[in-house]
Amino acid sequence: MTEPTAPSAFPGGPALFRLDPAVAHLNHGSYGAVPLPVQEAQEALRTQAHADPDAFFNGVSERLTAARGRIAARLGADPDGLAFISNATEGANLALDAIPLAEGDEILVTDHGYGTVVDAAARRAKLVTVALDPLLPDEDAVREAVLAGITPRTKVAVLDHVSSPTARLIAGPRLLADLAARGITTVVDGAHTPGMLAEPVAAGADFWFGNLHKWGYAPSGSALLAVAPAHRARVRSLSPSWEDHQGFPLSVEYRATFDYTGWLAAPEGLDLLERLGADRVREHNSALAGYGAGLLARIPGLTPLPHTPGLALRSLLLPPGVAETREAATALREELAAKLRIRVLVWPREGGGGLRVCGQVYNRAEEYERLAAALPAFLR
């Protein structure tokens, strides 16, 4: 087996963050990390809010519109079809509330879907869950498996843009086009795509939502909901407030005395990504995740999963008997954190769970090497 080549460190990458240097943070995809310049921008906004709350809150609608416009320009999206939200789960609920469903209608999901997003769908209609073998070789195989799960009652498909546990593209352009041709409304969970994909908003989706606080360097609790024109009039805030009469997107964004500073600072994260060189960052992060996965693949019993090129996260299957339940997966994750000071995602699966590593500009090759050297002792 060819020895993986270690990527060079990203110049100045670790200095942009306030992360504990004693911990190997190989799980950027779960919570992200906020760079110092973005933290400082948010703190400046908080200072303004505390100095003159009336001025801040009376002008917040206009500031949200301006911040949304800056982000839309970075993402190549329509600012009138984009709204700030707090996270992907909120986006799923807003989208599903806007879709008319009748008795007997079904919602298609996959077994790779994020738990709370799938739960939101289950509250609205009967679910049909498509089991996607993690070892499906490519995007076409995933597409065929999803289409085979459609029934005459399928009205909505809730799909990951990039799956969180298995780190691969699911809601690709061809699949979305095929679903649209069948009259199926598509809701795409793009939690990982802003900042990681050059074109993060899924073209052709009826609804798409994505987090800015993962790969977009925004403060925690910063996310977006994109809605196709045909559906915008039906989108209603989960908690109506004084701007409800304005309609989407402001009716969704305005929340009275909410802390808006994260959303208003969010454009600074995408601006920082551009200053660093977005393509350069993506190439580095993908190469680093690939390096880590390559090292882990040399461990007996670990199986690397097919991956979508260019992503900054990679997954491998663990041996049978390891992390087969949520409790066991959590225990292994926390044991690695406590004993090795290494943060990774461990996800449950019958027959052997999975492990995901990520690459970010603050990571170093030796962190993955440390994980690969120590992990076999935890798999016995």
Side-chain angles (χ1 to χ4, degrees):
M1 186 180 293
T2 304
E3 189 71 26
T5 302
S8 300
F10 194 94
L16 287 169
F17 297 84
R18 195 177 281 153
L19 293 165
D20 183 349
V23 177
H25 300 274
L26 306 183
N27 188 29
H28 187 90
S30 283
Y31 303 105
V34 186
L36 288 170
V38 181
Q39 293 184 38
E40 291 162 359
Q42 184 179 19
E43 192 55 41
L45 288 162
R46 284 184 171 143
T47 298
Q48 292 177 25
H50 294 319
D52 191 343
D54 286 54
F56 183 86
F57 285 107
N58 288 338
V60 77
S61 296
E62 291 77 11
R63 296 180 78 164
L64 286 171
T65 299
R68 184 181 351 107
R70 288 174 61 189
I71 289 174
R74 288 289 190 201
L75 302 185
D78 175 6
D80 294 330
L82 204 62
F84 284 112
I85 55 174
S86 296
N87 51 48
T89 303
E90 182 184 353
N93 282 277
L94 285 163
L96 290 164
D97 274 353
I99 301 171
L101 291 168
E103 186 71 26
D105 287 347
E106 296 175 351
I107 299 177
L108 182 148
V109 299
T110 80
D111 60 353
H112 290 222
Y114 190 71
T116 57
V117 172
V118 173
D119 289 345
R123 288 187 177 187
R124 272 78 178 182
K126 177 185 175 182
L127 298 188
V128 172
T129 302
V130 175
L132 296 178
D133 186 337
L135 295 172
L136 286 174
D138 53 31
E139 185 181 340
D140 282 339
V142 170
R143 170 179 156 271
E144 291 170 5
V146 171
L147 294 176
I150 294 172
T151 78
R153 293 185 176 275
T154 303
K155 300 299 180 183
V156 180
V158 179
L159 301 170
D160 288 281
H161 198 167
V162 171
S163 62
S164 182
T166 49
R168 65 185 305 168
L169 184 74
I170 292 179
R174 289 186 63 200
L175 175 55
L176 292 176
D178 287 336
L179 291 168
R182 289 162 171 78
I184 296 172
T185 301
T186 50
V187 178
V188 176
D189 179 355
H192 287 279
T193 61
M196 187 165 63
L197 297 186
E199 297 179 355
V201 181
D206 292 290
F207 299 87
W208 170 95
F209 45 84
N211 292 320
L212 293 167
H213 58 247
K214 292 181 184 284
W215 306 95
Y217 293 159
S220 300
S222 301
L224 299 168
L225 171 66
V227 181
H231 304 284
R232 292 173 191 171
R234 292 197 305 273
V235 178
R236 294 287 183 266
S237 171
L238 300 177
S239 299
S241 193
W242 290 110
E243 296 289 359
D244 201 50
H245 65 286
Q246 298 274 15
F248 185 85
L250 196 55
S251 61
V252 167
E253 295 172 333
Y254 187 78
R255 305 177 186 197
T257 51
F258 176 78
D259 183 358
Y260 298 98
T261 59
W263 293 356
L264 296 178
E268 301 297 331
L270 293 177
D271 287 352
L272 173 61
L273 181 61
E274 289 301 317
R275 291 197 300 273
L276 294 174
D279 290 342
R280 179 178 172 222
V281 168
R282 293 179 188 120
E283 182 179 352
H284 170 273
N285 292 348
S286 178
L288 202 53
Y291 175 69
L295 293 176
L296 295 172
R298 300 170 68 89
I299 298 173
L302 265 65
T303 305
L305 295 183
H307 67 279
T308 301
L311 299 186
L313 59 176
R314 298 282 189 91
S315 285
L316 303 94
L317 293 182
L318 296 166
V322 178
E324 293 197 349
T325 66
R326 180 181 297 184
E327 294 75 18
T330 300
L332 177 57
R333 181 195 72 195
E334 293 306 308
E335 189 178 18
L336 293 172
K339 295 182 178 179
L340 300 181
R341 307 297 301 277
I342 296 174
R343 288 289 182 187
V344 295
L345 176 70
V346 180
W347 44 277
R349 174 179 171 270
E350 187 176 348
L355 183 146
R356 188 192 72 193
V357 293
C358 303
Q360 188 50 266
V361 296
Y362 53 72
N363 290 126
R364 305 179 309 279
E366 53 264 32
E367 295 174 317
Y368 304 90
E369 294 161 5
R370 180 154 62 93
L371 173 63
L375 184 61
F378 294 84
L379 304 179
R380 296 170 183 164

